[in-house]
């Protein structure tokens, strides 16, 4: 059994619910994933995509329900998350796998909605990651999901994606990139990119954007001590109680499965790089069709 070991943080052979942790080699990097259900059966394939700063174990209570219903269930750690590789976003190896490579990412002009139900017309939507070459973007993760579908899941039928938080944007991008291979996308608590530079008020943008960029740059360059101070069980527990409707679900087990992979070297670089990702596609502009 392959294991990922870095400075005392080792990928366990199984998840807290007993699922085997597996490694898929993708573009020269390790990607952790799990599977539940008969992989040789003809049941529908479902791929679970985690959200911001978490990992495949976030779905540990969901996979069994769908597997018992006859689905082939998979959960994956996106590049940079969980027990997947965490290449430095400025490294040449990381830049080489970025999904932004080869795409036309000039900023389109779009009409965006407002919190009050109005419309802002003619807004430029920045698409490219502000950190040039960073692989931690929705295009990279879209390509990772599609390659996983082709190389690991296989089969003739399209896969259904179940996604949370920023995973929802990666999943929607995959549906745009290869619609014939995606049966549908089920979104759980999506991330609406409120911090996207295009969502900032036009009048305040000349003032806000430079300040935000300066804070992001400082965190990328000098944020490790802050990360170390916050990456503690008690702090993570308090943070998790904010999005969880039922605080009793924020157990020690949950804190452990989400925090432990974050203690791997390189995690702080990924966290602060992701927090700098104030661009990207806004999928709420897409004319989605309900099945």
């Amino acid at each position: 059994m392959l294991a990922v070991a870095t400075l005392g943080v080792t990928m366990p052979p199984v998840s807290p619910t007993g699922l085997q942790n597996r490694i898929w080699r993708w573009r020269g990097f390790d990607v952790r994933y799990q599977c539940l259900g008969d992989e040789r059966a003809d049941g529908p394939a479902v791929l679970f995509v985690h959200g911001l700063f978490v990992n495949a174990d976030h779905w540990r209570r969901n996979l069994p329900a769908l597997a018992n219903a006859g689905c082939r269930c998979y959960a994956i750690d996106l590049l940079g998350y969980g027990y997947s590789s965490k290449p430095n976003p400025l490294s040449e190896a990381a830049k080489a796998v970025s999904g932004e490579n080869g795409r036309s990412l000039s900023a389109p002009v779009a009409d965006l909605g407002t919190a009050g139900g109005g419309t802002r017309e003619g807004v430029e939507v920045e698409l490219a990651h502000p950190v040039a070459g960073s692989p931690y973007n929705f295009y990279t993760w879209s390509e990772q999901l599609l390659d996983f579908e082709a190389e690991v899941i296989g089969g003739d039928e399209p896969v259904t994606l179940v996604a949370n938080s920023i995973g929802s944007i990666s999943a929607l991008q995959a549906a745009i990139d290869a619609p014939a291979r995606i049966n549908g996308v089920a979104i759980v608590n999506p991330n609406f990119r409120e911090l996207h530079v295009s969502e900032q008020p036009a009048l305040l943008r000349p003032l806000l954007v430079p300040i935000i960029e300066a804070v992001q740059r400082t965190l990328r360059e000098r944020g490790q001590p802050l990360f170390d101070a916050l990456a503690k069980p008690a702090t993570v527990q308090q943070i998790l109680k904010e999005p969880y409707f039922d605080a009793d679900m924020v157990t020690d087990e949950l804190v452990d499965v989400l925090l432990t992979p974050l203690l791997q070297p390189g995690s702080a670089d990924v966290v602060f790089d992701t927090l700098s990702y104030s661009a990207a596609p806004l999928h709420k502009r897409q004319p989605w069709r309900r099945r």
Side-chain angles (χ1 to χ4, degrees):
M1 177 64 195
L2 280 171
V4 176
T6 29
L7 295 186
V9 179
T10 303
M11 183 185 77
V14 296
S15 75
T17 55
L19 278 182
Q20 183 185 44
N21 286 323
R22 308 179 184 184
I23 291 294
W24 167 54
R25 193 71 174 167
W26 182 69
R27 298 185 180 181
F29 295 108
D30 289 337
V31 170
R32 187 271 294 256
Y33 75 97
Q34 301 165 346
C35 177
L36 187 61
D38 189 348
E39 296 175 80
R40 297 166 296 178
D42 295 328
V46 181
L47 175 56
F48 289 82
V49 189
H50 63 77
L52 187 66
F53 306 147
V54 295
N55 59 75
D57 286 326
H58 210 187
W59 301 107
R60 69 198 185 287
R61 305 297 181 193
N62 304 98
L63 270 68
L66 288 183
N68 290 337
C71 296
R72 294 176 292 135
C73 298
Y74 300 83
I76 191 172
D77 285 347
L78 296 173
L79 184 70
Y81 286 83
Y83 291 105
S84 290
S85 297
K86 301 170 178 59
N88 186 290
L90 300 180
S91 69
E92 293 305 315
K95 293 178 180 180
V97 304
S98 174
E100 291 188 347
N101 296 337
R103 294 182 187 251
S104 176
L105 298 178
S106 57
V109 175
D111 296 339
L112 302 180
T114 67
T119 301
R120 292 185 296 128
E121 298 179 349
V123 180
E124 286 193 352
V125 179
E126 296 292 339
L127 299 179
H129 197 308
V131 180
S134 170
Y136 302 118
N137 60 71
F138 300 124
Y139 301 109
T140 303
W141 294 321
S142 165
E143 293 176 6
Q144 180 184 350
L145 297 176
L146 291 171
D147 287 348
F148 184 84
E149 181 273 335
E151 297 178 18
V152 179
I153 298 176
D156 298 326
E157 296 299 319
V159 65
T160 297
L161 303 177
V162 179
N164 166 245
S165 181
I166 65 166
S168 63
I169 307 178
S170 304
L172 291 172
Q173 187 61 47
I176 293 172
D177 288 344
R181 294 166 56 191
I182 305 299
N183 180 55
V185 181
I187 296 176
V188 182
N189 291 338
N191 182 296
F192 289 110
R193 303 295 287 163
E194 295 90 344
L195 297 180
H196 195 293
V197 64
S198 301
E199 297 284 19
Q200 307 310 311
L203 291 177
L204 296 178
R205 199 174 302 151
L207 174 64
L208 289 177
V209 171
I211 295 174
I212 293 172
E213 290 177 345
V215 172
Q216 292 170 335
R217 183 170 56 253
T218 299
L219 289 174
R220 292 196 306 270
E221 295 173 355
R222 303 184 180 89
Q224 185 71 51
L226 175 62
F227 178 87
D228 294 339
L230 294 176
K232 307 292 184 184
T235 305
V236 172
Q237 187 175 55
Q238 286 302 120
I239 293 173
L240 288 172
K241 287 181 178 179
E242 178 65 26
Y244 271 74
F245 176 78
D246 185 356
D248 291 338
M249 297 301 295
V250 183
T251 62
D252 291 343
E253 177 191 85
L254 176 66
V255 172
D256 180 63
V257 299
L258 300 187
L259 174 60
T260 299
L262 279 172
L263 301 179
Q264 293 183 356
S267 290
D269 292 333
V270 176
V271 166
F272 292 128
D273 182 271
T274 305
L275 290 177
S276 298
Y277 191 22
S278 52
L282 294 175
H283 293 111
K284 59 189 177 183
R285 300 188 303 111
Q286 298 292 331
W288 297 106
R289 176 173 61 87
R290 293 186 178 181
R291 290 182 179 269

